[in-house]
Amino acid sequence: MTTPATKRRGHRLQLARVAVPLAGLSALSFTVLVLLGLLFDSMHLLLLAVMVMVLLVGAGIAISYRRLAQIAISTREISQQSSSYLRSAGLEPDSLAMFPQFGALGWFQEHSPLSTTQILQRLTRMRSIQGRDLLSLKATRGRWNWSSLERALESYRLGGNARLYVEQHLLAAAGLPLAQLADLCFRQNVSPLDQLNAGTMYQLVLRARGTDLFEGSSRAGFLLEALAATGRYSEAERLLSLFEPEDNRQHDVTLFRANFRNPFRRPEMGFDEWLETINAVYRAEGLAELRLVPGEGEPILRLATTDVPAVENGPLVSILMPVFKPDAYAELAVRSALGQTYQNIEIIIVDDGSGEEYKHQLARWAALDPRITVVHNRVNSGAYTSRNMAFQRARGEFVTVFDGDDWQHPQKIERLVAAAAEQSDHRLVSAPWARVSPQVYFHYRGWRGAFITPAHVSTMFPTAVIREKLGYWDTVRKAADGEFILRYKLIVNPEDALEISEAPLTLSLVTDSNLSVEDFRLGFRVPDRSAYREYYGRWHQQIEAGKHNGYLPFPLLERAFAAPGKYLPVPVRSREIDVLFVGDFSSGGEESSLLLGHVEAARGLGLTVGVQHKYSLGRDASFGPAFTDRFLEAFRSGELQRVEITDVVAVKLVLIYDPTGFQFHSALLSNVGAEQVAILIQHAPESDTGHHYEVTAVAENVHKAFGRHPVWLPLTSAVFTRVQPLVPEAMLAAQGWNELRSTLVNGGDEWPSIDRIVRFAGLREAHPEGINAGE
């Protein structure tokens, strides 16, 4: 259908097509007439030329009109395209209304006692992208969920009329919830768009609210890093004054500035200015300044410092260095160990089963300097096994660790020994580190959110003390540094380690091969690390209570506490489990009572039993300790298996006891596969007891987690009546489950025993009778 706008556009183009050739003809006629008039001295010809000139001006106006019409048409097309994009997302302001939210989102918006700060913290810990809807709806007063807001941010960046359409609403929404939503995107950082969206939201908040929401928080640092991560370095440097760190973190300001000027990311920047910016940090601490050796290799591989005098005298220091498949970065680590100004050192390199092809490199290191000893572990067993093998051979009065891909400042050992020698009470001393890319771009990451952070791996220990009282590091593949430090504080000296510098004396390389590069995000630890902390935390309580002396031998024949299977020297790569119980093991509610009873009953049936704790956003207890000492001991002994969503596990039957735990799913990639999944529900959606969930969302998230659609098992006839209209018959009455719920259909309220459940799931042909929940 032809619209008035289309007709007007056609008329303008037709007029322009006529005017352009007419103007050209008029110009030619004017020129000819003027020449003839001057040649024949004819006033008539000159007057005629004036008339032609008037026509020429008219033609010029027509040409300009055509050009303006083209620009207007092009702009309108862009705006119409953007407006269409907005309408398809439900974003066009003229058509927006304050629609009420339904289901769990509606309940959280209207009735949940959680503050936006609590929502931010819990979603960060859960690593839930779906949960962003809560903060998005809070920020936009119920107008836009996260998907719609994300499109609005894109339209804002697109420009044109689309920007005007959404700008007023984005600025109106630019309060604390929007700032916290930006915090969440920055912390989770699931994709590069998260950094881009976080930066856009921060800038909107800054524009609408000024600096209020950035003062006294880490948010200014997040803003700067988000801008730099998306290539907006100049913009970030202009806003650097917003960042006001604590007194002991002033060097972070300098390292922000160094990142903004990194010539390997911004070729237009000067190399000398960048290096001078970094060296301001080391100069302030009285340390040798950094330089790059000329060459074509990666900047990290060419790191060196200005010359520093050697320290010849002092106690022997043993440097423990595990390596695996050594490469150029391992060469860097060895070189920085040999380059220490402190001369009285021994470097014990343990190769962790790299293979025959690396023997030549290891032999070359052994011949490089008499202070180097190379030890071979034939089987790859992990960094801490290698560290313990090195510690067995250590002869030094003090011992410390250099990782096999880190660069160490040449004055690090010198400074550590000087401080350690003064600690008559054996207080630990340490030096901070910073994580860098191969281009020496500093990473604002980690649990704390900073460039320069304490480094457990850099701690210097008195050898005799740990040999007598602690023994060895826990024999796992990662995460044992924190346990060792905390155990030392329990047994020897409770003070935190004395930091000898505020400048990073270790530059730790960030690559895909790092053990912990993806284990930490701001406010988040991967489930394995959280589980490991929980395990050794219980053991430390036993040490504190005098039930264990805290000494770990090597080799470790029997574990004092549990550890994730993948952390063991011989890692458990995959497992097979009969029944996996999934729920909130910490809440203490009705679901927990049934869940715990079923777990104990299943153990009595001789099944291989696993358990998985699932956060429930609305419950405070869910974010506390998940498992009792009884469970932790069962994990240690192997009677029960703890399963995290990231573990590789094949399960015959998954039983879920709390649907609310799957309302907001984690973005972590699931490696748990199930043959059958059932959800036992004691409360219908939107019940009066606060159990708010949406069947659609829960079913989808369960399928993502376990690769199977769930069977819903209402545990009372009342709940069955409420749920029946919400679930397809095939999911309520899948083959094999009919008899199990037959009493519910007929109005009975008997809860099924675990024996009946596993029988109808096909796990047991013969089964003992009379085993009910809690018996």
Side-chain angles (χ1 to χ4, degrees), residues 172-192:
L176 179 61
L178 189 69
Q180 291 175 325
L181 181 58
D183 294 343
L184 184 61
C185 287
F186 181 84
R187 288 168 179 261
Q188 292 180 328
N189 193 26
V190 175
S191 76

Side-chain angles (χ1 to χ4, degrees), residues 100-137:
Q101 297 297 319
F102 299 99
L105 285 176
W107 183 85
F108 271 99
Q109 290 298 306
E110 297 295 330
H111 305 293
S112 173
L114 295 179
S115 67
T116 53
T117 300
Q118 289 175 306
I119 292 173
L120 165 65
Q121 293 169 342
R122 295 182 184 188
L123 291 178
T124 300
R125 189 166 173 183
M126 294 168 65
R127 200 155 176 75
S128 173
I129 308 304
Q130 291 177 326
R132 292 181 186 180
D133 284 343
L134 295 174
L135 288 176
S136 184
L137 290 167

Side-chain angles (χ1 to χ4, degrees), residues 229-270:
T230 51
R232 292 173 285 176
Y233 301 104
S234 299
E235 197 172 351
E237 185 153 17
R238 286 197 300 271
L239 296 172
L240 185 56
S241 60
L242 286 176
F243 183 65
E244 298 179 357
E246 300 171 1
D247 291 341
N248 63 342
R249 287 182 52 196
Q250 291 299 317
H251 291 322
D252 277 0
V253 178
T254 305
L255 295 185
F256 262 127
R257 187 175 287 112
N259 276 355
F260 302 155
R261 300 173 180 179
N262 188 303
F264 302 102
R265 291 207 174 194
R266 301 182 67 192
E268 74 275 13
M269 302 303 295

Side-chain angles (χ1 to χ4, degrees), residues 644-658:
E644 305 296 349
I645 196 68
T646 52
D647 291 339
V648 180
V649 182
V651 186
K652 293 179 181 177
L653 173 63
V654 173
L655 296 176
I656 297 169
Y657 287 74
D658 182 11

Side-chain angles (χ1 to χ4, degrees), residues 382-397:
Y384 292 95
T385 296
S386 296
R387 188 180 297 186
N388 285 335
M389 291 176 66
F391 185 52
Q392 284 180 319
R393 296 161 173 79
R395 299 178 295 110
E397 181 177 335

Side-chain angles (χ1 to χ4, degrees), residues 80-91 151 154-155 158:
Q80 287 174 346
Q81 180 184 6
S82 301
S83 298
S84 175
Y85 178 66
L86 291 171
R87 283 193 298 272
S88 68
L91 295 176
R151 296 184 192 182
E154 182 173 341
S155 297
L158 180 64

